[in-house]
Amino acid sequence: MSDVTTTAAAERALDTAERALRLARVRAADAEVEVTVRQGTEALTRFATSFIHQNVASEVNHVLIRVALDGRNASTSVDGPADDDSLGRAIDNVIEAARIRPPDPDWPGLAPRASAPAVDHFDEATAAASPDERAARVGAFVDAAGGLETAGFCSSTTVQLAFANSAGQRLTGRGTAAEVDGIARTASADGSGRRTSVRLADLDGAVLGERAATKARAASDPTDLEPGTYEVVLEPNCVANILSFLLVHGFNGKAVEEGRSFARVGAEQFDQSISLRDDVTDSGTLGIPFDIEGTPKQPLDVVRGGVTRGLLHTRRTGRMAGSGSTGHAVEGGAAWGALGANLVLAGGDKTAEELISGVERGVLVTDFWYTRILDPRTQVVTGLTRNGVWLIEDGRVVRPVTNLRFTQSFVEALGPGAVRGISTNRELALAGWNSVYLVPSLHLAKWNFTGGARG
Amino acid sequence: MEDIAAQAVEAALAAGATYADARVMEIRTEAMSARNGVIEALDREERAGVGVRALIGSSWGFFSVPDDGSAAARRAGEQAAAVARASTLVPGVDLALAPEKAVTGHWSSDVREDPWAVGLAEKGDLLEGVTRAMREHGADLAEASHRIWDTRKWFVSSEGTRVDQHIVECGAAMSATAIGENETQRRSYPGIRGQYGTRGWELIRELDLPGNAPRIAAEARELLTADVCPSLDASDLILGSEQMALQIHESVGHATELDRILGWEAAFAGTSWLELPKLGSLRFGSELMNITADATLPGALGSFGYDDEGTPAHPVDIVRDGIWVGALSGRDSAALAGLERSGGAVRSEGFDRIPMVRMTNVGLLPGSDSLASMIEATDDGIFMDTNRSWSIDDKRLNFQFGCEIGWEIKGGKRGRLLKNPTYTAISPKFWGALDMLGGPDEWTFWGTPNCGKGQPQQIGHTGHPAVPARFRGIRVGVRG
């Protein structure tokens, strides 16, 4: 359905950006202007009670325009026909808004000319994927669950991005992403199977359906576990969830500037086995190598050997910190700060089985659910387990347990001396906030379970 | 625009759909935010396009285009049918639609002061001013924002329904954060998410942000040195109406969504502890508990004239005298569950999202007490107000909620300030412990503008009429 496969598609997107730029400069010759054009297709085939119940696809044509007049800046976006009339009307509107609003004393100006890393997380076959191809993977997932009820989705997304600003910066990028994420259900438990890739062809519905069914059966007939402090083995989806909180409320330069963050650059805040990078160039990740301000994303050490090394910035927060942007501005993110990221947590030297064998008495957790922060400074978060939880004793999984609620500081959980093992294997996970996470499983020394889900 | 929608429907039917509907939508939004006396962002948005839903057998196919022209609409209709046909590769039982009489009509929300006619300078002055005031009264971080949504939509179905609506939504929020050695304390007004409704700028004037800015800043500062909420296995708990809105949203609203009950959201949002055979007999809470879903409430954020299937808005009883009696539903889920009629609770975020079951105005009917009388009647308890954190399991049974501020209640009087108040419970036990409810004078139509659901995720706007309430024997003060 998408034609985001050719140089011509990139040129069309860039032409739209250039045209919007010209329309703005005609109206306000002294304006600083930046334009981001996002085109493509988003498709998602959703199934529940073992049949496809919702199957959706959308064409995307999104034009984001920011105008600044002596630091008085405003943004507008258009989803719809990007003809001169539509764009001109939106530009008139945003110029009027910029003229009236007070100047921003921290306006950083526009991104200068710079090239982005040579990244092309793109697959032509995925860009051209049909609804039948997604349905076939769903069918394979359902069949492989061996009669268990199933639910989930298969998605494929294609994006062509173009950026142009009045300072001469021009960038284009493209990307694809495909994901199968589903559960199989017994009467007493759910199990999950998921995979994310740049290529739809990498996603084997049968393998994932079988994995979900195996987990569901193994998690069935759980019994309660007394709440308390336990060792835990957290599978990759849990680890991605932890990183999303550390990112938004911690390594985000705006949160640091406002005093809401725990992060202190140069301090040993994590176990020395923790090394975290933001790296869109990693071949295992997804994404476009520049942000909506046209700043290229260079690989960035966030934590190395347990020591906090770097923070993520937009142009505005980078100016306030005196460090410059790291290329992490997202649309609508002015109030939140830097968000878009490709976090890569260094893998360790253990298999999943070896992580479990190192646990004296602890809990193996597949997924977290409904995690919410109680205090950004302490990173105390409450949430629940989901899709399979087991008690481990003397290095062996001994029985499934009912879901548990936890209330736990995520910083303390990864603190010095707290990480007992990291898996070699890593998985790609999407955990919201425009971010992608390439993460291993972790064995942590302590996790505070504060209640059972059944009360 | 109705004709454009009609062409999309015709194209879907010609491509093999047994039923189709289409929405042409034009949406304008404005968002302004300020921090510490400076406008930080001013964003406007214009969106226009067509979304078409086509039914073949057991599945919906949906396709949208960011274009409201005739050719684009026909293409969307054809593609919606093609997507639905692909779904038949993994089929279920053929979907039926609960009967609904075809209607034609128009509805618009009541706006006394057009928010677009209020100058940006005035809006900016308001937000800058209140954030400066909060800084002057103790806030380290003072934030304020307003939002406007202006939606026009034209709906046509293959059964002959043709309706159009113009819905204006408006609201504002502000918060003061005080930063201590190893903690942050925050006070928000009017609530953590602000306050929003299907109203004009008059709502924001009524909120009186300037009149409340100094107070919440001082409270945030005071919380840094307050005692921590004690950990008790059982305490009498009084909740303010803003926290009650969140309590209703999470533990009643989502739990009574029929798509969740039927398992259609099992993999993501989750299911529900409620089982259909118990509809009409299950005790959800005490006899004081009366919950309705009513999209006809004037000015509430979940109000409209017709839902996104063209069903006219109408009130639905959800819990009556503590018994579970109704669900939030659409035409397909109602038919599958054997309900006589759709609850008229199907909406989509925009033209590019498939309509799905969403809360309308799910709220608690008022009782006969008041916050003052609850405090007076409580010998030993805790009063908590303004939501700070919320977490609930995938069956909507076990929850742990935190509030921004609390006060000890001793001998019928409000005592010392408490910080980091939290409470946790199992839903039917919690609602069963309800023994006092605020009266009609305290009935507030809270608006939640950020309810996430569905895949791809959609953000919904929901309303929650609420009053203060008292619960007996609740576990409080859960800490990590």
Side-chain angles (χ1 to χ4, degrees):
Chain A
M1 274 183 257
S2 167
D3 65 347
V4 184
T5 57
T6 63
T7 306
E11 288 174 355
R12 274 198 301 278
L14 192 56
D15 282 350
T16 302
E18 298 265 22
R19 187 157 46 83
L21 201 56
R22 281 197 303 276
L23 290 167
R25 299 279 279 181
V26 164
R27 287 163 167 78
D30 55 341
E32 294 178 280
V33 185
E34 64 184 21
V35 183
T36 302
V37 175
R38 178 164 51 88
Q39 298 174 332
T41 305
E42 297 171 353
L44 188 143
T45 299
R46 199 169 189 218
F47 60 107
T49 59
S50 300
F51 78 99
I52 295 174
H53 68 313
Q54 292 168 358
N55 200 349
V56 305
S58 299
E59 293 177 0
V60 177
N61 186 26
H62 181 74
V63 183
L64 173 66
I65 303 164
R66 182 162 66 161
V67 168
L69 298 156
D70 297 326
R72 302 167 188 271
N73 64 88
S75 296
T76 188
S77 67
V78 177
D79 284 275
D83 53 61
D84 284 3
D85 285 349
S86 302
L87 291 177
R89 195 170 56 247
I91 290 166
D92 286 338
N93 199 340
V94 75
I95 288 174
E96 177 216 339
R99 285 210 166 103
I100 291 169
R101 69 157 278 182
D104 178 358
D106 295 308
W107 169 248
L110 301 178
R113 289 185 186 205
S115 58
V119 166
D120 192 28
H121 296 302
F122 182 83
D123 175 59
E124 290 199 11
T126 302
S130 70
D132 285 2
E133 289 175 82
R134 289 186 296 279
R137 282 166 177 79
V138 169
F141 189 105
V142 171
D143 291 346
L148 297 188
E149 183 182 304
T150 57
F153 71 87
C154 173
S155 67
S156 58
T157 302
T158 308
V159 64
Q160 173 71 60
L161 217 59
F163 178 89
N165 72 18
S166 55
Q169 174 71 325
R170 301 286 185 276
L171 292 167
T172 61
R174 61 181 187 170
T176 52
E179 192 175 11
V180 170
D181 188 338
I183 59 170
R185 318 186 71 201
T186 69
S188 59
D190 296 346
S192 56
R194 61 174 66 88
R195 186 169 179 199
T196 303
S197 173
V198 72
R199 286 171 296 276
L200 184 62
D202 289 346
L203 309 181
D204 187 329
V207 167
L208 297 170
E210 188 178 351
R211 183 184 301 169
T214 301
K215 268 191 173 273
R217 291 189 181 102
S220 292
D221 303 320
T223 50
D224 291 345
L225 180 67
E226 188 67 21
T229 301
Y230 291 85
E231 292 176 71
V232 284
V233 173
L234 303 179
E235 294 195 349
N237 212 47
C238 303
V239 177
N241 189 273
I242 290 173
L243 293 187
S244 72
F245 282 89
L246 298 183
L247 171 69
V248 174
H249 301 287
F251 303 125
N252 173 356
K254 188 167 194 281
V256 173
E257 187 271 327
E258 291 174 347
R260 291 185 285 116
S261 168
F262 68 87
R264 285 177 287 125
V265 174
E268 186 178 346
Q269 298 189 288
F270 299 94
D271 190 272
Q272 62 181 10
S273 63
I274 296 291
S275 286
L276 181 67
R277 287 166 63 75
D278 180 75
D279 191 356
V280 72
T281 70
D282 189 298
S283 60
T285 190
L286 303 171
I288 308 281
F290 57 90
D291 70 0
I292 57 142
E293 295 179 325
T295 303
K297 290 182 179 181
Q298 304 297 342
L300 172 74
D301 270 344
V302 180
V303 177
R304 194 194 309 151
V307 177
T308 300
R309 293 286 186 190
L311 304 174
L312 280 61
H313 283 291
T314 65
R315 289 189 58 75
R316 188 170 188 270
T317 68
R319 179 182 187 272
M320 294 166 85
S323 58
S325 173
T326 53
H328 292 92
V330 297
E331 184 172 352
W336 276 99
L339 291 177
N342 293 76
L343 290 186
V344 179
L345 185 60
D349 58 359
K350 296 184 188 306
T351 64
E353 293 74 23
E354 286 169 341
L355 287 184
I356 291 168
S357 69
V359 175
E360 186 178 335
R361 190 163 194 269
V363 180
L364 170 62
V365 184
T366 304
D367 291 333
F368 285 165
W369 169 247
Y370 224 116
T371 43
R372 292 291 184 273
I373 198 157
L374 304 185
D375 184 351
R377 190 73 180 257
T378 57
Q379 284 269 319
V380 173
V381 173
T382 187
L384 297 119
T385 62
R386 192 173 176 183
N387 295 331
V389 196
W390 295 268
L391 177 66
I392 305 168
E393 287 180 337
D394 300 324
R396 288 187 312 113
V397 172
V398 293
R399 64 176 168 93
V401 298
T402 50
N403 281 316
L404 292 155
R405 173 173 291 288
F406 58 83
T407 307
Q408 171 67 49
S409 163
F410 283 177
V411 178
E412 283 180 14
L414 302 182
V419 180
R420 294 189 173 169
I422 302 178
S423 71
T424 309
N425 182 53
R426 292 183 298 176
E427 292 181 12
L428 196 59
L430 306 176
W433 300 106
N434 298 290
S435 297
V436 185
Y437 303 83
L438 184 59
V439 284
S441 297
L442 296 178
H443 171 193
L444 304 179
K446 285 195 293 188
W447 197 264
N448 194 18
F449 291 105
T450 48
R454 293 199 298 218
Chain B
M1 287 299 177
E2 270 184 23
D3 289 343
I4 299 292
Q7 289 175 45
V9 169
E10 286 166 11
L13 294 176
T18 55
Y19 167 90
D21 56 34
R23 282 165 301 114
V24 178
M25 294 180 72
E26 294 177 353
I27 305 166
R28 291 170 67 199
T29 68
E30 179 179 281
M32 185 187 286
S33 61
R35 188 191 70 143
N36 293 350
V38 174
I39 297 297
E40 206 167 38
L42 171 55
D43 299 321
R44 286 175 164 181
E45 187 181 61
E46 294 185 15
R47 310 179 66 212
V50 187
V52 188
R53 200 171 60 144
L55 182 62
I56 297 178
S58 57
S59 176
W60 294 106
F62 175 85
F63 197 90
S64 71
V65 290
D67 188 337
D68 51 8
S70 176
R74 296 198 72 83
R75 186 171 80 252
E78 290 162 6
Q79 288 296 325
V83 172
R85 195 171 300 287
S87 307
T88 61
L89 293 170
V90 189
V93 177
D94 281 1
L95 275 184
L97 300 178
E100 197 64 43
K101 194 173 152 189
V103 293
T104 57
H106 168 81
W107 187 86
S108 58
S109 50
D110 183 23
V111 173
R112 272 181 272 161
E113 184 172 6
D114 179 2
W116 302 107
V118 178
L120 283 169
E122 181 183 343
K123 292 168 177 170
D125 287 349
L126 172 68
L127 301 184
E128 284 187 338
V130 295
T131 55
R132 271 199 300 271
M134 286 187 281
R135 287 277 286 177
E136 288 161 7
H137 287 82
D140 293 307
L141 177 61
E143 297 170 295
S145 62
H146 83 258
R147 299 285 301 272
I148 303 165
W149 299 267
D150 188 326
T151 303
R152 293 174 189 271
K153 51 185 170 184
W154 295 263
F155 173 89
V156 171
S157 82
S158 58
E159 293 179 346
T161 289
R162 284 182 171 233
V163 294
D164 68 275
Q165 303 188 76
H166 181 197
I167 302 173
V168 175
E169 301 156 287
C170 206
M174 67 177 180
S175 68
T177 301
I179 297 172
E181 185 66 22
N182 283 306
E183 63 176 324
T184 63
Q185 291 296 336
R186 169 184 160 134
R187 287 293 286 129
S188 306
Y189 178 84
I192 183 175
R193 297 163 191 83
Q195 173 62 316
Y196 303 86
T198 48
R199 302 180 60 193
W201 195 258
E202 71 275 6
L203 183 154
I204 292 174
R205 294 196 194 284
E206 288 168 15
L207 293 177
D208 186 19
L209 299 182
N212 287 278
R215 175 181 60 81
I216 65 169
E219 286 176 351
R221 177 63 47 189
E222 196 180 350
L223 279 167
L224 287 177
T225 53
D227 292 334
V228 174
C229 176
S231 294
L232 302 169
D233 286 339
S235 170
D236 285 354
L237 172 65
I238 298 170
L239 298 177
S241 74
E242 192 262 7
Q243 176 60 24
M244 282 300 296
L246 180 280
Q247 181 71 51
I248 295 163
H249 178 101
E250 300 292 355
S251 69
V252 183
H254 281 306
T256 57
E257 291 168 339
L258 192 49
D259 54 351
R260 295 180 67 119
I261 294 169
L262 292 171
W264 294 355
E265 293 291 322
F268 181 55
T271 56
S272 174
W273 64 277
L274 298 168
E275 297 167 354
L276 266 182
K278 294 178 180 170
L279 180 65
S281 62
L282 181 137
R283 178 156 289 284
F284 200 123
S286 80
E287 290 187 353
L288 284 178
M289 183 185 187
N290 286 285
I291 301 268
T292 61
D294 187 354
T296 69
L297 295 175
L301 191 61
S303 292
F304 47 79
Y306 307 88
D307 78 354
D308 283 339
E309 291 187 313
T311 301
H314 59 279
V316 176
D317 282 351
I318 302 295
V319 177
R320 193 187 305 132
D321 301 329
I323 304 297
W324 177 43
V325 296
L328 294 150
S329 63
R331 295 184 63 191
D332 53 1
S333 53
L336 193 59
L339 306 183
E340 284 184 5
R341 188 187 179 194
S342 162
V346 166
R347 285 187 291 164
S348 73
E349 178 183 335
F351 67 84
D352 56 350
R353 291 290 183 265
I354 190 169
M356 63 190 305
V357 173
R358 301 307 306 243
M359 286 176 236
T360 57
N361 298 305
V362 179
L364 191 55
L365 299 183
S368 56
D369 289 302
S370 67
L371 178 60
S373 67
M374 282 174 222
I375 291 173
E376 197 178 325
T378 301
D379 187 48
D380 190 353
I382 294 173
F383 168 41
M384 300 184 191
D385 201 14
T386 314
N387 182 248
R388 185 173 184 185
S389 68
W390 62 104
S391 175
I392 187 164
D393 76 337
D394 57 316
K395 292 185 188 302
R396 297 282 151 172
L397 189 59
N398 169 308
F399 57 80
Q400 179 173 314
F401 298 143
C403 292
E404 290 183 351
I405 194 165
W407 289 269
E408 190 174 58
I409 307 296
K410 289 282 185 192
K413 293 194 170 8
R414 193 188 295 208
R416 62 181 173 139
L417 192 69
L418 298 173
K419 67 180 173 185
N420 304 339
T422 59
Y423 63 100
T424 186
I426 298 298
S427 189
K429 289 182 189 170
F430 179 82
W431 285 103
L434 169 68
D435 79 335
M436 292 183 86
L437 265 183
D441 292 349
E442 294 176 318
W443 205 34
T444 305
F445 295 177
W446 291 99
T448 298
N450 63 340
C451 175
K453 187 181 174 187
Q455 292 171 309
Q457 193 166 41
Q458 304 189 35
I459 303 300
H461 296 183
T462 64
H464 303 291
V467 288
R470 188 177 78 167
F471 301 84
R472 314 298 298 268
I474 306 300
R475 182 183 170 195
V476 299
V478 186
R479 282 194 285 280

